[in-house]
Amino acid sequence: MKQNQPPARGETLSYRDAGVDIDRGNALVRQIGAITRSTMRPEVLSDIGGFGGLCELPAGYERPVLVSATDGVGTKLKLAVELGRHDSVGIDLVAMCVNDLIVCGAEPLFFLDYYASGALDLDVAASVISGIGEGCRQAGCALIGGETAEMPGMYGAGDYDLAGFAVGVVEKDGIIGPDRVAAGDRLIGLASSGPHANGYSLIRKIIEISGANLGQAFTGRGLGEVLLEPTRIYVRAIAALTAKFSVHGLAHITGGGIIENLPRMLPAGLIARVDTTSWRRPAVFDWLRQSGNVSVEEMFRTFNCGIGMIVCVAAEDLGPALELLRDAGEEVSPIGEVRAGSGHEPAVEFV
């Protein structure tokens, strides 16, 4: 049958006539099987290929509560497509979900992904899912399934979209929430690896208006490579911390920056006082501010500005908690404190 002509009488159509190559999809499934098996936990009861993934709750929980999170990578995908580098965005996808889970004290159990494109590029899809597998290994959660959708006409050539879904578990009396935070508590900032997966619509606009080249040298690497640095996964460090200390609060600094995310862990009547000179800010944030003429307030509202996770602990636990997190491989800084507010000022005060 010729393109754009109706089928002749008696002629049948198939998926292949719509531009869908089932053989490519099956080949990818076989590759995914090896990746998923490398992330397995003992609680997983199913293998890839079923209609659903099965995972029982880990032993040792008396009143287990399930916690779920979902997220994507946003327009960071555009840079990945432009640079032809697709493995790191898979790590981003896992990180954005599991870092959300751990703020309430949860242990990530399993992860599922959704990958959609107009025409399946086996090499690109395998690279993305390989990154997802690496993210799951870093987080200690199992990749138990997902969906690879080929939808001709929905996406431009070379484009694809990603979404991730994570489930974790926490003991009911171990849930971390704003009720634990008190005036006098101290704040610890865990360093980010860069912009993570937030603010990339603005980043792409800054690249456009500044005329920057993604291949240009920047801090010993290419600018594009720096901007594609994957999101840091904090699961193991936070698990080590919560096992030894009473953590009062956690805030994952994603879209909205410190200004909008830090208040989410505070109860009414308290404010966070943050010393913006207390941590090392990666050079990429200074480049973004200067190249895009972005105000300081907008920087802290859009980007993490070098802090990917904020931990709140009692004042007497500050020193030991810093030591533990450093031993766990994190770059950390004491960045401020919680104090009583009047109820009229912003929930975050920068000094």
Side-chain angles (χ1 to χ4, degrees):
M1 186 182 69
K2 293 182 179 179
Q3 286 285 350
N4 303 321
Q5 288 187 357
R9 185 183 298 273
E11 185 177 0
T12 59
L13 292 176
S14 73
Y15 240 34
R16 296 186 191 279
D17 293 303
V20 176
D21 192 329
I22 297 171
D23 293 336
R24 288 185 302 179
N26 290 336
L28 181 60
V29 168
R30 290 191 290 272
Q31 287 186 272
I32 293 172
I35 295 170
T36 59
R37 283 187 283 275
S38 74
T39 70
M40 284 299 100
R41 293 175 54 107
E43 299 86 6
V44 176
L45 305 178
S46 58
D47 199 356
I48 194 72
F51 287 97
L54 303 175
C55 182
E56 62 183 350
L57 293 175
Y61 286 89
E62 296 181 2
R63 300 179 68 192
V65 175
L66 294 178
V67 186
S68 60
T70 183
D71 211 333
V73 182
T75 60
K76 190 173 185 177
L77 292 177
K78 284 287 191 181
L79 292 187
V81 170
E82 186 173 345
L83 290 166
R85 177 181 166 184
H86 306 278
D87 55 337
S88 61
V89 292
I91 300 173
D92 284 309
L93 185 66
V94 176
M96 297 305 291
C97 295
V98 297
N99 285 343
D100 276 352
L101 286 184
I102 62 176
V103 299
C104 63
E107 171 192 4
L109 290 178
F110 60 84
F111 187 86
L112 299 98
D113 68 273
Y114 175 79
Y115 176 96
S117 62
L120 182 64
D121 184 315
L122 187 60
D123 292 335
V124 171
S127 183
V128 170
I129 296 170
S130 176
I132 292 172
E134 172 59 25
C136 285
R137 288 188 290 272
Q138 289 184 28
C141 66
L143 175 60
I144 65 170
E147 171 69 5
T148 303
E150 194 170 17
M151 299 187 290
M154 283 290 291
Y155 298 92
D159 288 338
Y160 60 91
D161 199 9
L162 284 176
F165 313 88
V167 172
V169 61
V170 61
E171 194 72 71
K172 188 171 184 179
D173 62 7
I175 295 173
I176 299 172
D179 57 299
R180 292 190 178 192
V181 178
D185 284 349
R186 299 296 191 265
L187 302 174
I188 298 172
L190 279 68
S192 69
S193 56
H196 285 178
N198 299 109
Y200 276 81
S201 293
L202 179 56
I203 288 172
R204 289 168 49 242
K205 188 65 176 178
I206 291 171
I207 292 170
E208 177 188 338
I209 65 175
S210 67
N213 187 317
L214 292 175
Q216 71 186 53
F218 186 83
T219 62
R221 297 190 292 168
L223 176 61
E225 184 182 359
V226 170
L227 291 172
L228 278 185
E229 184 71 26
T231 303
R232 189 157 182 81
I233 293 175
Y234 301 103
V235 172
R236 297 186 190 278
I238 295 301
L241 186 70
T242 56
K244 190 166 183 180
F245 295 97
S246 175
V247 174
H248 291 184
L250 289 159
H252 182 202
I253 310 304
T254 55
I258 293 175
I259 289 177
E260 294 185 9
N261 286 288
L262 184 50
R264 296 167 69 180
M265 78 171 186
L266 300 173
L270 297 183
I271 68 170
R273 190 171 187 268
V274 177
D275 180 358
T276 60
T277 67
S278 60
W279 70 87
R280 181 190 63 84
R281 190 171 307 163
V284 67
F285 294 108
D286 291 330
W287 181 85
L288 289 167
R289 181 178 57 81
Q290 294 164 7
S291 299
N293 194 27
V294 183
S295 71
V296 172
E297 181 179 359
E298 185 63 26
M299 289 294 298
F300 281 109
R301 190 180 299 278
T302 302
F303 303 111
N304 64 59
C305 292
I307 297 294
M309 183 75 70
I310 295 177
V311 178
C312 179
V313 296
E316 60 270 22
D317 289 335
L318 176 62
L322 286 167
E323 183 178 0
L324 183 149
L325 289 168
R326 287 173 181 140
D327 288 344
E330 299 296 333
E331 180 183 339
V332 294
S333 306
I335 65 169
E337 63 180 349
V338 177
R339 66 177 183 83
S342 66
H344 301 293
E345 69 270 73
V348 179
E349 177 188 18
F350 292 110
V351 295

